[in-house]
Amino acid sequence: MMAVAWLSASALDLTWSKYNLNFSVPDGGFELFSTNTHYERQWEDMHLSVHLYSKDPNDKKEIYTTTLERKAADYNMYEVKKTKIKVKNFDTYAVEGIMPDGTRALLVNLVSKKSELVVQVVVNYLFGNREMVEDVIKSFAENPDRKPNHETRKQKVQKPDQKPKKPSKEELEEQQRQEKERKYQEKRRKGEIFDA
């Protein structure tokens, strides 16, 4: 069964303690289903379904993608294509497409690198919520600390060069041309120059 921990006003951290599996979902919505191997949650604009399976050592890696493609066919999804999502400590297999009602769907198999666990996640969402859906998928973590992966988005800051770059001859000529044009337009505005 699931344990709940509050992270912030906008996210809810969930833990499957039996498997040390943790993930984060948007706050709100309501829980539809929760058992030892299946969890579902519904929001106004998104539906999340999580199923847990065990790895079969005889399975080839292709099985993780073909099962998703079969599931997409069962949903009558169209424009189905493979996609990539990186999740720390999991091998990830994913397909996405459009459901018959026009909503989007992302189907993902997360194959643990630490244990025999396979986490199958299906998210049905409205167009425009893709970033939120990816945040949910990337939050899956297998650890006893009850902490999901929270990817911190780092803002890239450009460092100033030590020495200012010297403009090229063409750049200098362009700057001079622009300055002449600016002075000409200023004189026209003041009425010092009239066009005939």
Side-chain angles (χ1 to χ4, degrees), residues 21 38 63 67-68 87 123 134 193:
L21 183 67
H38 182 168
I63 191 76
T67 56
L68 296 175
V87 181
V123 188
E134 281 197 34
I193 297 177

Side-chain angles (χ1 to χ4, degrees), residues 22-126:
N22 309 286
F23 60 103
S24 183
V25 296
D27 196 16
F30 52 94
E31 187 175 278
L32 296 173
F33 204 73
S34 180
T35 69
N36 287 338
T37 59
H38 182 168
Y39 180 78
E40 285 188 41
R41 190 169 193 93
Q42 174 80 43
W43 295 264
E44 189 174 303
D45 54 0
M46 188 168 77
H47 179 266
L48 170 74
S49 175
V50 182
H51 290 270
L52 302 182
Y53 301 99
S54 293
K55 276 191 243 181
D56 184 343
N58 299 324
D59 283 343
K60 295 180 180 173
K61 289 184 177 184
E62 296 83 38
I63 191 76
Y64 299 116
T65 302
T66 55
T67 56
L68 296 175
E69 290 169 340
R70 260 197 319 264
K71 192 169 210 107
D74 289 345
Y75 289 143
N76 292 321
M77 288 172 57
Y78 58 96
E79 294 185 21
V80 176
K81 62 182 178 185
K82 291 181 189 177
T83 188
K84 292 185 180 182
I85 297 177
K86 289 186 179 182
V87 181
K88 191 176 179 182
N89 295 318
F90 289 94
D91 289 324
T92 309
Y93 304 87
V95 298
E96 62 184 333
I98 302 173
M99 297 291 254
D101 65 358
T103 60
R104 308 295 168 134
L106 180 64
L107 291 70
V108 182
N109 274 331
L110 301 172
V111 182
S112 174
K113 293 179 181 178
K114 295 180 175 183
S115 70
E116 296 301 309
L117 189 64
V118 177
V119 181
Q120 187 173 83
V121 184
V122 177
V123 188
N124 183 227
Y125 61 97
L126 295 179

